[in-house]
Amino acid sequence: MLDWTDKHCRYFHRLLTHKTRLYTEMVTTGALLHGDQSRHLDFNIEEHPVALQLGGSEPAALAACAKLAEKWGYDEVNLNCGCPSERVQRGAFGACLMAEPALVADGIKAMLDAVSIPVTIKHRIGIDRLESYEFVRDFVGAISAVGCEVFIVHARNAWLQGISPKENRELPPLRYELVHRLKRDFPNLTIVLNGGVKTDDEIAAQLQHVDGVMVGRQAYHEPWQMANWDQRFFDQAGPAHSREQVETEWLKYLEAQVVSGRPWTQAMRHALGLWNGQAGSRRWRQIWSDHEYKAMDAAAVAALATQSRTGIAAHVAEHQAQTEALRQAAAA
């Protein structure tokens, strides 16, 4: 997710889950070939398994960027054919590429020929008002014919005109049954469903029909949800035992950023949802976000935030205890 899933975000998520595959922001081939490669490609070793997501359409450029992904140590390179933004369309990539399956197939093949790491694709179930299953079936068939084996399918059409990217995540109806049908029609392919899945039970339900589930904004805004994923979906103990433990480990990372010459504020914005749903979480977020504290050491801000959060939590617990005592007295 552009401007969201940078390396700081991914490191934070690794404190919550070791097994879930992480994806970078979409990076254009032009930015990699003509820009600051280190800025776009550097990542923390703790992020594995991690995939580089590319935006582009020219086969030679995609192949060159796939080679960079492999050189840098990524575990996968993914071609984005799902982003509907007008800026992306002007670059002739993203969701509009679904109208050109032969071009996409050429790009995927060029990448497959260039690297040994997996090459995957993310796309929609259709574009504009092309809502027939046959459209996405034929698209997947064309891409799989050149050797692509993993398809991450956002279960909405992309409406390329007239609505914003945010509206494109909400207005086109979700049609999970089309993604399920893809798995039935292409049983040898890995089909991953994306779009609208929020709870762990919903993830589990989708896994009855497909091979994987990609969760984006839900995981970003409610990160603690990921703390259960390793155990529930991979049958392995996860790294996160408590929010306090994760916050302690995250504070070490923030302090390391400062030592490296980067302000801790660049990374901290990705962790503001850690205490969501808990008493005092709003005040905790406010302190970490307050410009007044951004010149302070991260450890000092953490102490203030924790003091405020636990004080409110204690007040809420006391109020709940009093309420329960009154209820029991009334019942007696």
mmCIF file of all heavy atoms in Angstrom, residues 198-232:
data_model
loop_
_atom_site.group_PDB
_atom_site.id
_atom_site.type_symbol
_atom_site.label_atom_id
_atom_site.label_comp_id
_atom_site.label_asym_id
_atom_site.label_seq_id
_atom_site.Cartn_x
_atom_site.Cartn_y
_atom_site.Cartn_z
ATOM 1 N N LYS A 198 -11.956 -9.174 7.126
ATOM 2 C CA LYS A 198 -11.531 -8.453 8.318
ATOM 3 C C LYS A 198 -11.201 -9.356 9.501
ATOM 4 O O LYS A 198 -10.141 -9.234 10.102
ATOM 5 C CB LYS A 198 -12.606 -7.435 8.717
ATOM 6 C CG LYS A 198 -12.764 -6.302 7.714
ATOM 7 C CD LYS A 198 -13.749 -5.252 8.186
ATOM 8 C CE LYS A 198 -13.814 -4.096 7.192
ATOM 9 N NZ LYS A 198 -14.748 -3.038 7.622
ATOM 10 N N THR A 199 -12.107 -10.237 9.870
ATOM 11 C CA THR A 199 -11.888 -11.019 11.088
ATOM 12 C C THR A 199 -11.136 -12.308 10.801
ATOM 13 O O THR A 199 -11.082 -12.790 9.664
ATOM 14 C CB THR A 199 -13.224 -11.377 11.744
ATOM 15 O OG1 THR A 199 -13.922 -12.330 10.922
ATOM 16 C CG2 THR A 199 -14.103 -10.142 11.928
ATOM 17 N N ASP A 200 -10.582 -12.894 11.861
ATOM 18 C CA ASP A 200 -9.890 -14.174 11.715
ATOM 19 C C ASP A 200 -10.843 -15.270 11.265
ATOM 20 O O ASP A 200 -10.466 -16.163 10.492
ATOM 21 C CB ASP A 200 -9.224 -14.569 13.039
ATOM 22 C CG ASP A 200 -8.014 -13.704 13.357
ATOM 23 O OD1 ASP A 200 -7.714 -12.791 12.565
ATOM 24 O OD2 ASP A 200 -7.384 -13.940 14.402
ATOM 25 N N ASP A 201 -12.066 -15.217 11.743
ATOM 26 C CA ASP A 201 -13.044 -16.215 11.316
ATOM 27 C C ASP A 201 -13.353 -16.068 9.826
ATOM 28 O O ASP A 201 -13.559 -17.075 9.124
ATOM 29 C CB ASP A 201 -14.327 -16.088 12.133
ATOM 30 C CG ASP A 201 -14.166 -16.623 13.555
ATOM 31 O OD1 ASP A 201 -13.173 -17.336 13.819
ATOM 32 O OD2 ASP A 201 -15.030 -16.321 14.403
ATOM 33 N N GLU A 202 -13.390 -14.836 9.325
ATOM 34 C CA GLU A 202 -13.616 -14.625 7.895
ATOM 35 C C GLU A 202 -12.437 -15.144 7.079
ATOM 36 O O GLU A 202 -12.621 -15.719 6.002
ATOM 37 C CB GLU A 202 -13.851 -13.144 7.612
ATOM 38 C CG GLU A 202 -15.185 -12.625 8.122
ATOM 39 C CD GLU A 202 -15.329 -11.117 7.999
ATOM 40 O OE1 GLU A 202 -14.334 -10.438 7.639
ATOM 41 O OE2 GLU A 202 -16.424 -10.616 8.269
ATOM 42 N N ILE A 203 -11.235 -14.946 7.586
ATOM 43 C CA ILE A 203 -10.052 -15.498 6.911
ATOM 44 C C ILE A 203 -10.168 -17.017 6.835
ATOM 45 O O ILE A 203 -9.978 -17.634 5.779
ATOM 46 C CB ILE A 203 -8.758 -15.096 7.642
ATOM 47 C CG1 ILE A 203 -8.538 -13.577 7.571
ATOM 48 C CG2 ILE A 203 -7.558 -15.838 7.063
ATOM 49 C CD1 ILE A 203 -7.392 -13.089 8.436
ATOM 50 N N ALA A 204 -10.503 -17.622 7.971
ATOM 51 C CA ALA A 204 -10.608 -19.086 8.023
ATOM 52 C C ALA A 204 -11.682 -19.590 7.057
ATOM 53 O O ALA A 204 -11.500 -20.625 6.398
ATOM 54 C CB ALA A 204 -10.915 -19.533 9.448
ATOM 55 N N ALA A 205 -12.786 -18.860 6.967
ATOM 56 C CA ALA A 205 -13.860 -19.267 6.060
ATOM 57 C C ALA A 205 -13.397 -19.211 4.610
ATOM 58 O O ALA A 205 -13.699 -20.118 3.811
ATOM 59 C CB ALA A 205 -15.085 -18.380 6.270
ATOM 60 N N GLN A 206 -12.651 -18.180 4.243
ATOM 61 C CA GLN A 206 -12.167 -18.072 2.871
ATOM 62 C C GLN A 206 -11.145 -19.150 2.552
ATOM 63 O O GLN A 206 -11.057 -19.629 1.411
ATOM 64 C CB GLN A 206 -11.566 -16.683 2.631
ATOM 65 C CG GLN A 206 -12.579 -15.553 2.604
ATOM 66 C CD GLN A 206 -13.589 -15.713 1.492
ATOM 67 O OE1 GLN A 206 -13.326 -16.329 0.457
ATOM 68 N NE2 GLN A 206 -14.787 -15.154 1.689
ATOM 69 N N LEU A 207 -10.378 -19.561 3.539
ATOM 70 C CA LEU A 207 -9.374 -20.595 3.311
ATOM 71 C C LEU A 207 -9.988 -21.969 3.033
ATOM 72 O O LEU A 207 -9.266 -22.894 2.661
ATOM 73 C CB LEU A 207 -8.413 -20.668 4.502
ATOM 74 C CG LEU A 207 -7.463 -19.475 4.646
ATOM 75 C CD1 LEU A 207 -6.653 -19.584 5.935
ATOM 76 C CD2 LEU A 207 -6.537 -19.350 3.439
ATOM 77 N N GLN A 208 -11.288 -22.067 3.192
ATOM 78 C CA GLN A 208 -11.970 -23.292 2.772
ATOM 79 C C GLN A 208 -12.120 -23.349 1.254
ATOM 80 O O GLN A 208 -12.402 -24.409 0.698
ATOM 81 C CB GLN A 208 -13.354 -23.367 3.429
ATOM 82 C CG GLN A 208 -13.330 -23.399 4.947
ATOM 83 C CD GLN A 208 -12.559 -24.579 5.494
ATOM 84 O OE1 GLN A 208 -12.813 -25.728 5.105
ATOM 85 N NE2 GLN A 208 -11.622 -24.312 6.392
ATOM 86 N N HIS A 209 -11.926 -22.198 0.595
ATOM 87 C CA HIS A 209 -12.156 -22.115 -0.846
ATOM 88 C C HIS A 209 -10.902 -21.768 -1.645
ATOM 89 O O HIS A 209 -10.825 -22.090 -2.831
ATOM 90 C CB HIS A 209 -13.223 -21.052 -1.141
ATOM 91 C CG HIS A 209 -14.513 -21.279 -0.431
ATOM 92 N ND1 HIS A 209 -15.450 -22.195 -0.854
ATOM 93 C CD2 HIS A 209 -15.019 -20.708 0.698
ATOM 94 C CE1 HIS A 209 -16.494 -22.170 -0.040
ATOM 95 N NE2 HIS A 209 -16.262 -21.290 0.914
ATOM 96 N N VAL A 210 -9.944 -21.059 -1.020
ATOM 97 C CA VAL A 210 -8.751 -20.589 -1.732
ATOM 98 C C VAL A 210 -7.509 -20.963 -0.937
ATOM 99 O O VAL A 210 -7.595 -21.486 0.180
ATOM 100 C CB VAL A 210 -8.818 -19.056 -1.964
ATOM 101 C CG1 VAL A 210 -9.959 -18.705 -2.912
ATOM 102 C CG2 VAL A 210 -8.957 -18.303 -0.638
ATOM 103 N N ASP A 211 -6.359 -20.649 -1.512
ATOM 104 C CA ASP A 211 -5.091 -21.063 -0.900
ATOM 105 C C ASP A 211 -4.533 -20.055 0.089
ATOM 106 O O ASP A 211 -3.662 -20.397 0.900
ATOM 107 C CB ASP A 211 -4.052 -21.303 -2.001
ATOM 108 C CG ASP A 211 -4.511 -22.358 -2.989
ATOM 109 O OD1 ASP A 211 -4.683 -23.513 -2.579
ATOM 110 O OD2 ASP A 211 -4.723 -22.012 -4.172
ATOM 111 N N GLY A 212 -4.971 -18.817 0.005
ATOM 112 C CA GLY A 212 -4.447 -17.794 0.893
ATOM 113 C C GLY A 212 -5.359 -16.591 0.901
ATOM 114 O O GLY A 212 -6.252 -16.450 0.062
ATOM 115 N N VAL A 213 -5.133 -15.706 1.871
ATOM 116 C CA VAL A 213 -5.892 -14.467 1.996
ATOM 117 C C VAL A 213 -4.911 -13.326 2.225
ATOM 118 O O VAL A 213 -4.022 -13.435 3.074
ATOM 119 C CB VAL A 213 -6.901 -14.534 3.156
ATOM 120 C CG1 VAL A 213 -7.611 -13.183 3.336
ATOM 121 C CG2 VAL A 213 -7.921 -15.640 2.925
ATOM 122 N N MET A 214 -5.063 -12.263 1.444
ATOM 123 C CA MET A 214 -4.275 -11.055 1.659
ATOM 124 C C MET A 214 -5.132 -10.042 2.415
ATOM 125 O O MET A 214 -6.259 -9.754 2.021
ATOM 126 C CB MET A 214 -3.808 -10.451 0.331
ATOM 127 C CG MET A 214 -3.098 -9.104 0.496
ATOM 128 S SD MET A 214 -2.570 -8.361 -1.075
ATOM 129 C CE MET A 214 -0.997 -9.206 -1.303
ATOM 130 N N VAL A 215 -4.591 -9.520 3.512
ATOM 131 C CA VAL A 215 -5.285 -8.534 4.328
ATOM 132 C C VAL A 215 -4.448 -7.258 4.326
ATOM 133 O O VAL A 215 -3.254 -7.296 4.632
ATOM 134 C CB VAL A 215 -5.495 -9.036 5.770
ATOM 135 C CG1 VAL A 215 -6.286 -8.017 6.587
ATOM 136 C CG2 VAL A 215 -6.204 -10.383 5.764
ATOM 137 N N GLY A 216 -5.054 -6.128 3.973
ATOM 138 C CA GLY A 216 -4.316 -4.881 3.855
ATOM 139 C C GLY A 216 -4.623 -3.903 4.968
ATOM 140 O O GLY A 216 -4.042 -3.951 6.055
ATOM 141 N N ARG A 217 -5.562 -3.020 4.724
ATOM 142 C CA ARG A 217 -5.842 -1.937 5.667
ATOM 143 C C ARG A 217 -6.338 -2.416 7.018
ATOM 144 O O ARG A 217 -6.066 -1.790 8.039
ATOM 145 C CB ARG A 217 -6.831 -0.948 5.033
ATOM 146 C CG ARG A 217 -6.146 -0.068 4.009
ATOM 147 C CD ARG A 217 -7.098 0.633 3.060
ATOM 148 N NE ARG A 217 -6.329 1.476 2.148
ATOM 149 C CZ ARG A 217 -5.675 1.030 1.083
ATOM 150 N NH1 ARG A 217 -5.712 -0.253 0.777
ATOM 151 N NH2 ARG A 217 -4.982 1.850 0.309
ATOM 152 N N GLN A 218 -7.057 -3.508 7.054
ATOM 153 C CA GLN A 218 -7.503 -4.062 8.329
ATOM 154 C C GLN A 218 -6.297 -4.393 9.208
ATOM 155 O O GLN A 218 -6.263 -4.062 10.398
ATOM 156 C CB GLN A 218 -8.343 -5.319 8.096
ATOM 157 C CG GLN A 218 -8.696 -6.089 9.355
ATOM 158 C CD GLN A 218 -9.651 -5.353 10.262
ATOM 159 O OE1 GLN A 218 -10.330 -4.415 9.841
ATOM 160 N NE2 GLN A 218 -9.718 -5.760 11.527
ATOM 161 N N ALA A 219 -5.301 -5.033 8.639
ATOM 162 C CA ALA A 219 -4.103 -5.388 9.408
ATOM 163 C C ALA A 219 -3.338 -4.147 9.834
ATOM 164 O O ALA A 219 -2.761 -4.106 10.925
ATOM 165 C CB ALA A 219 -3.205 -6.308 8.582
ATOM 166 N N TYR A 220 -3.328 -3.122 8.984
ATOM 167 C CA TYR A 220 -2.598 -1.901 9.319
ATOM 168 C C TYR A 220 -3.260 -1.181 10.491
ATOM 169 O O TYR A 220 -2.593 -0.732 11.426
ATOM 170 C CB TYR A 220 -2.543 -0.991 8.100
ATOM 171 C CG TYR A 220 -1.681 0.242 8.299
ATOM 172 C CD1 TYR A 220 -0.339 0.227 7.928
ATOM 173 C CD2 TYR A 220 -2.200 1.410 8.851
ATOM 174 C CE1 TYR A 220 0.464 1.351 8.103
ATOM 175 C CE2 TYR A 220 -1.404 2.527 9.039
ATOM 176 C CZ TYR A 220 -0.075 2.497 8.663
ATOM 177 O OH TYR A 220 0.710 3.609 8.852
ATOM 178 N N HIS A 221 -4.581 -1.059 10.445
ATOM 179 C CA HIS A 221 -5.290 -0.297 11.468
ATOM 180 C C HIS A 221 -5.509 -1.082 12.754
ATOM 181 O O HIS A 221 -5.645 -0.490 13.827
ATOM 182 C CB HIS A 221 -6.641 0.181 10.922
ATOM 183 C CG HIS A 221 -6.520 1.217 9.856
ATOM 184 N ND1 HIS A 221 -5.852 2.408 10.047
ATOM 185 C CD2 HIS A 221 -6.973 1.244 8.567
ATOM 186 C CE1 HIS A 221 -5.900 3.126 8.926
ATOM 187 N NE2 HIS A 221 -6.562 2.443 8.023
ATOM 188 N N GLU A 222 -5.566 -2.411 12.655
ATOM 189 C CA GLU A 222 -5.750 -3.255 13.837
ATOM 190 C C GLU A 222 -4.604 -4.267 13.919
ATOM 191 O O GLU A 222 -4.805 -5.475 13.800
ATOM 192 C CB GLU A 222 -7.102 -3.976 13.768
ATOM 193 C CG GLU A 222 -8.310 -3.064 13.671
ATOM 194 C CD GLU A 222 -8.525 -2.237 14.940
ATOM 195 O OE1 GLU A 222 -8.004 -2.647 16.013
ATOM 196 O OE2 GLU A 222 -9.204 -1.197 14.871
ATOM 197 N N PRO A 223 -3.387 -3.796 14.119
ATOM 198 C CA PRO A 223 -2.221 -4.681 13.996
ATOM 199 C C PRO A 223 -2.199 -5.831 14.995
ATOM 200 O O PRO A 223 -1.658 -6.899 14.672
ATOM 201 C CB PRO A 223 -1.029 -3.737 14.189
ATOM 202 C CG PRO A 223 -1.589 -2.559 14.928
ATOM 203 C CD PRO A 223 -2.986 -2.410 14.434
ATOM 204 N N TRP A 224 -2.762 -5.644 16.187
ATOM 205 C CA TRP A 224 -2.696 -6.722 17.177
ATOM 206 C C TRP A 224 -3.397 -7.978 16.682
ATOM 207 O O TRP A 224 -3.105 -9.084 17.141
ATOM 208 C CB TRP A 224 -3.283 -6.265 18.510
ATOM 209 C CG TRP A 224 -3.144 -7.311 19.572
ATOM 210 C CD1 TRP A 224 -4.139 -8.031 20.170
ATOM 211 C CD2 TRP A 224 -1.920 -7.796 20.152
ATOM 212 N NE1 TRP A 224 -3.625 -8.932 21.084
ATOM 213 C CE2 TRP A 224 -2.264 -8.802 21.094
ATOM 214 C CE3 TRP A 224 -0.572 -7.477 19.973
ATOM 215 C CZ2 TRP A 224 -1.310 -9.483 21.839
ATOM 216 C CZ3 TRP A 224 0.380 -8.159 20.719
ATOM 217 C CH2 TRP A 224 0.017 -9.151 21.637
ATOM 218 N N GLN A 225 -4.299 -7.840 15.750
ATOM 219 C CA GLN A 225 -4.969 -9.002 15.171
ATOM 220 C C GLN A 225 -3.959 -9.998 14.603
ATOM 221 O O GLN A 225 -4.164 -11.213 14.644
ATOM 222 C CB GLN A 225 -5.931 -8.555 14.069
ATOM 223 C CG GLN A 225 -6.726 -9.675 13.420
ATOM 224 C CD GLN A 225 -7.706 -9.165 12.377
ATOM 225 O OE1 GLN A 225 -7.937 -7.973 12.241
ATOM 226 N NE2 GLN A 225 -8.281 -10.070 11.614
ATOM 227 N N MET A 226 -2.829 -9.484 14.089
ATOM 228 C CA MET A 226 -1.825 -10.357 13.494
ATOM 229 C C MET A 226 -1.123 -11.241 14.513
ATOM 230 O O MET A 226 -0.509 -12.250 14.152
ATOM 231 C CB MET A 226 -0.783 -9.506 12.749
ATOM 232 C CG MET A 226 -1.302 -8.895 11.471
ATOM 233 S SD MET A 226 -0.008 -8.011 10.561
ATOM 234 C CE MET A 226 -0.006 -6.446 11.444
ATOM 235 N N ALA A 227 -1.201 -10.867 15.793
ATOM 236 C CA ALA A 227 -0.477 -11.613 16.823
ATOM 237 C C ALA A 227 -0.971 -13.050 16.945
ATOM 238 O O ALA A 227 -0.250 -13.918 17.455
ATOM 239 C CB ALA A 227 -0.607 -10.901 18.170
ATOM 240 N N ASN A 228 -2.162 -13.334 16.477
ATOM 241 C CA ASN A 228 -2.730 -14.679 16.576
ATOM 242 C C ASN A 228 -2.545 -15.497 15.310
ATOM 243 O O ASN A 228 -2.844 -16.696 15.297
ATOM 244 C CB ASN A 228 -4.231 -14.563 16.894
ATOM 245 C CG ASN A 228 -4.891 -15.905 17.143
ATOM 246 O OD1 ASN A 228 -4.391 -16.700 17.933
ATOM 247 N ND2 ASN A 228 -6.003 -16.163 16.463
ATOM 248 N N TRP A 229 -2.063 -14.883 14.240
ATOM 249 C CA TRP A 229 -2.079 -15.557 12.943
ATOM 250 C C TRP A 229 -1.128 -16.731 12.844
ATOM 251 O O TRP A 229 -1.464 -17.752 12.243
ATOM 252 C CB TRP A 229 -1.804 -14.537 11.831
ATOM 253 C CG TRP A 229 -2.957 -13.624 11.576
ATOM 254 C CD1 TRP A 229 -4.176 -13.635 12.190
ATOM 255 C CD2 TRP A 229 -3.006 -12.552 10.633
ATOM 256 N NE1 TRP A 229 -4.980 -12.634 11.698
ATOM 257 C CE2 TRP A 229 -4.292 -11.959 10.748
ATOM 258 C CE3 TRP A 229 -2.092 -12.025 9.733
ATOM 259 C CZ2 TRP A 229 -4.674 -10.872 9.962
ATOM 260 C CZ3 TRP A 229 -2.471 -10.940 8.945
ATOM 261 C CH2 TRP A 229 -3.756 -10.373 9.066
ATOM 262 N N ASP A 230 0.067 -16.618 13.394
ATOM 263 C CA ASP A 230 1.025 -17.721 13.282
ATOM 264 C C ASP A 230 0.459 -18.991 13.913
ATOM 265 O O ASP A 230 0.559 -20.089 13.346
ATOM 266 C CB ASP A 230 2.353 -17.351 13.947
ATOM 267 C CG ASP A 230 3.138 -16.336 13.141
ATOM 268 O OD1 ASP A 230 2.605 -15.835 12.136
ATOM 269 O OD2 ASP A 230 4.280 -16.029 13.526
ATOM 270 N N GLN A 231 -0.151 -18.835 15.095
ATOM 271 C CA GLN A 231 -0.698 -19.997 15.788
ATOM 272 C C GLN A 231 -1.923 -20.543 15.067
ATOM 273 O O GLN A 231 -2.037 -21.757 14.843
ATOM 274 C CB GLN A 231 -1.075 -19.618 17.227
ATOM 275 C CG GLN A 231 -1.530 -20.807 18.066
ATOM 276 C CD GLN A 231 -0.402 -21.797 18.294
ATOM 277 O OE1 GLN A 231 0.626 -21.474 18.879
ATOM 278 N NE2 GLN A 231 -0.578 -23.040 17.830
ATOM 279 N N ARG A 232 -2.827 -19.656 14.669
ATOM 280 C CA ARG A 232 -4.087 -20.138 14.101
ATOM 281 C C ARG A 232 -3.938 -20.674 12.684
ATOM 282 O O ARG A 232 -4.534 -21.698 12.343
ATOM 283 C CB ARG A 232 -5.129 -19.022 14.127
ATOM 284 C CG ARG A 232 -6.469 -19.454 13.517
ATOM 285 C CD ARG A 232 -7.615 -18.624 13.941
ATOM 286 N NE ARG A 232 -8.869 -19.163 13.413
ATOM 287 C CZ ARG A 232 -10.063 -18.632 13.623
ATOM 288 N NH1 ARG A 232 -10.174 -17.540 14.379
ATOM 289 N NH2 ARG A 232 -11.144 -19.176 13.106
#
